[in-house]
Amino acid sequence: MPYSEPRIQCSNHQCGASNKLEALVCHRCSTPIIRRYLWSNKITISDGQEQTLINGRYLALGPQIFLDTQPSSPPVTPEEVPQEIVAYLQLFPYYPHIPQVYGQLDGTDAWLLDYGTVPSSIPGKLDYPQQLLPKLKFLWSSATALQQLNWLWQLAKLWKPLFAKKVASTLLNPDLIRVNGQLVQILQLHPDQDHQPSLRELGGLWSQWAEDAHPSIREVLEQLAARLKAGLIDQVSQAIAILDQAANQTRKARKYSYQIYALSDSGPSRSNNEDAAYPVHSQLDNIPSSENSLAIVCDGVGGHDGGEIASQETIKYLRSKISKLALQDQNHRPGKVLGKLTKYINGSNDIISQRNDTEQRQERQRMGTTLVMTLSCAHEMYIAHVGDSRIYWITPNSCHQITIDDDLASREVRLGYAVYRDSLQYPSAGALIQAIGMRDSAALHPNLQRYLIDGDCIFLLCTDGLSDFDRVEQNWRSKILPVLDGNQDLPSAVKELISIANQQNGHDNVTVALVHCQLEPLADASQIKLAWSDVEFAISESSLWSDTNLTNAIVTDSTPTEENSPAETEIPEQPIGEPLIGESLTVKRQPTWLKPLILLLIVSLVAGLVTLFLVQQTIQKQDKSNPTTDTQELELTEPNQSDRSDQ
């Protein structure tokens, strides 16, 4: 029956029932309602169109804010993606800092952008109805010292990839810089037009913020901004090193502690369990701030017992190596840690790959495994992943997927060919392009990241037994958020997520690990006040503080260097692998030269077939009009016919 007021569709693909906008769960299947709030990169509606449906599905909440009332249906996307949108696609590895392209408002040139979750109350009321996300400049003066350092650190790390795509002007516009949970998010990209922006201009903006910085770090930020503005700091890696060192000193005002709990289950439809996790204990793991906390989840693939072997051997190897890392050492440098983690992951890959070769396993019989891993100590969280297992970062008002699946759908987005939600509809979209053990380590490209923690939060590591069909997005508020609120313990939350996966998905093994980070202020925190001399030394060690791994995730073309510093702006191309599992994906948006070439080949083939047919008809007519009984010709012809039949 028709309804007079807008309603929202259930996100359960097997249900799709229509519900009231304020509904918390579907009235038919009880699935939690997902609300996707979107931002339009252009104003396309009038004031009179607010609170009405656009394109029959997008509820206009403001000039540029929309709610998708049909979240389970693929958005409309055109055949060709305009150049202004390609930058978003090629920056896909930097999601959630850079919004994900969702779809196009039909009949307009406006595109909708997705930020994951946005601050809102449970009934779906936006906390920032006019802005969608709060502006950093409005939160700045009330933020803690560690938050301010963390925000600038994230912005500095975005400079190189945005500069490479000629959209670094975005970072000079304070209205486009927003905060969501502990993450800085860009509202929309702003193309560089008349000139390429410089670090001097970035220093000019930061100098304005430095005036209102927290007293304990004001001198550091004022000196950093002044040196950027004057050109004395001419490489963004130097700014990152200063911010990193300042954060390392400032975090001492708080005590960090971690709890980890993990479980793995074969699921209702599988007789064996190819997943594996670390740590798997009957007791909750409590890790003090002075020790590393390690969590690993693997999803094995391969025939017979191969998946089980690959996942378990990978965890065994990584545990033995990572246990020797001394992150609590004050002299450790992030760049070196990331390098060692990459080396260890490649080492685990070679062990499995060599076993495959020894046992002569080929193609689908080769065993391998996905990997997601978190390694934390104090305020640092190192993230590693290979394959399509996932990590989510949950704060009191946000849940963000912080890993990008290594599958064909994601590859098409990175290449700029397709919008993600569109590419998910392609055949074999979920086929993996890499997994541990399937190939030599020279062809493996582990994805590594590092985050700074400035508040209580939870990291969820899981296999696709849980993440499939949006089960995390549907249930994080009811199952994980209570842990942060102190109303639920970690083991119970993990067990409930396993139960949801088995009952609502049930098609695969499922493994879940939760890493709970808690911060407590220390009594002598007020005594911490940094001077420029406390952090200045980091400039000379900037290469050791650099997170160069992230720059390898982006597919780029050649880009002019900034400030005559090739090392500072050059971003190497990420090798894109062929699918390991499943058939190749049909590319919907191909290079512009490909379609004419295909058309020419088709025309040539048709012309060749027609010519061949006409020649055969002519020969047959000649044979009928001039029959021969030459025995020598028969003797020569018959062996040839026999040969063809044998072939």
Side-chain angles (χ1 to χ4, degrees), residues 351-368:
I351 289 176
I352 307 302
S353 179
Q354 290 167 9
R355 181 163 180 172
N356 279 325
D357 295 341
T358 301
E359 298 177 3
Q360 298 183 335
R361 293 176 178 256
Q362 302 296 326
E363 298 180 354
R364 290 179 178 270
Q365 293 303 311
R366 288 182 72 86
M367 56 183 168

Side-chain angles (χ1 to χ4, degrees), residues 485-594:
D485 296 337
N487 299 320
Q488 174 84 297
D489 61 85
L490 214 59
S492 298
V494 171
K495 292 173 184 177
E496 289 184 7
L497 291 171
I498 293 284
S499 178
I500 288 171
N502 286 336
Q503 294 175 13
Q504 299 180 22
N505 287 345
H507 59 285
D508 201 355
N509 308 144
V510 56
T511 301
V512 174
L514 291 180
V515 181
H516 185 193
C517 175
Q518 295 174 285
L519 281 67
E520 297 180 24
L522 297 176
D524 58 350
S526 60
Q527 300 178 6
I528 296 179
K529 187 173 182 179
L530 298 185
W532 177 251
S533 58
D534 295 328
V535 298
E536 186 177 16
F537 73 91
I539 294 178
S540 61
E541 299 181 355
S542 59
S543 62
L544 300 178
W545 290 88
S546 176
D547 290 6
T548 55
N549 56 290
L550 265 182
T551 63
N552 292 329
I554 182 173
V555 178
T556 72
D557 45 23
S558 59
T559 307
T561 60
E562 186 254 344
E563 300 288 341
N564 297 319
S565 177
E568 195 53 35
T569 57
E570 182 181 355
I571 300 179
E573 182 174 340
Q574 167 74 10
I576 303 298
E578 292 303 316
L580 296 174
I581 303 167
E583 300 174 355
S584 61
L585 178 64
T586 301
V587 179
K588 184 176 180 181
R589 294 178 180 83
Q590 298 136 336
T592 55
W593 53 265
L594 191 55

Side-chain angles (χ1 to χ4, degrees), residues 253-366:
R254 292 169 177 80
K255 176 184 177 182
Y256 285 77
S257 61
Y258 289 88
Q259 290 184 326
I260 302 177
Y261 193 82
L263 281 180
S264 186
D265 190 271
S266 61
S269 61
R270 298 292 180 91
S271 59
N272 64 320
N273 190 357
E274 294 184 333
D275 287 3
Y278 173 81
V280 177
H281 297 304
S282 58
Q283 301 292 328
L284 183 69
D285 265 20
N286 292 282
I287 297 94
S289 59
S290 59
E291 297 182 14
N292 302 347
S293 66
L294 174 65
I296 307 175
V297 165
C298 291
D299 182 356
V301 294
H304 305 293
D305 297 330
E308 296 177 33
I309 295 172
S311 59
Q312 293 170 4
E313 287 298 313
T314 296
I315 288 180
K316 179 181 177 181
Y317 179 86
L318 291 175
R319 281 183 59 193
S320 67
K321 294 296 184 180
I322 295 174
S323 63
K324 301 174 184 177
L325 281 178
L327 295 188
Q328 62 275 15
D329 184 352
Q330 294 295 319
N331 295 319
H332 88 273
R333 296 294 182 261
K336 288 188 174 181
V337 175
L338 290 167
K340 288 181 179 179
L341 292 179
T342 301
K343 178 181 178 181
Y344 298 157
I345 293 172
N346 285 336
S348 67
N349 176 84
D350 287 340
I351 289 176
I352 307 302
S353 179
Q354 290 167 9
R355 181 163 180 172
N356 279 325
D357 295 341
T358 301
E359 298 177 3
Q360 298 183 335
R361 293 176 178 256
Q362 302 296 326
E363 298 180 354
R364 290 179 178 270
Q365 293 303 311
R366 288 182 72 86

Side-chain angles (χ1 to χ4, degrees), residues 74-124:
V76 172
T77 55
E79 186 68 21
E80 299 295 334
V81 178
Q83 192 60 38
E84 63 176 318
I85 299 301
V86 170
Y88 288 94
L89 304 183
Q90 294 180 337
L91 289 167
F92 185 50
Y94 293 86
Y95 178 83
H97 294 300
I98 308 300
Q100 183 184 121
V101 177
Y102 193 80
Q104 188 178 35
L105 282 177
D106 197 19
T108 75
D109 61 350
W111 287 77
L112 298 171
L113 305 175
D114 182 18
Y115 307 85
T117 58
V118 299
S120 62
S121 58
I122 291 181

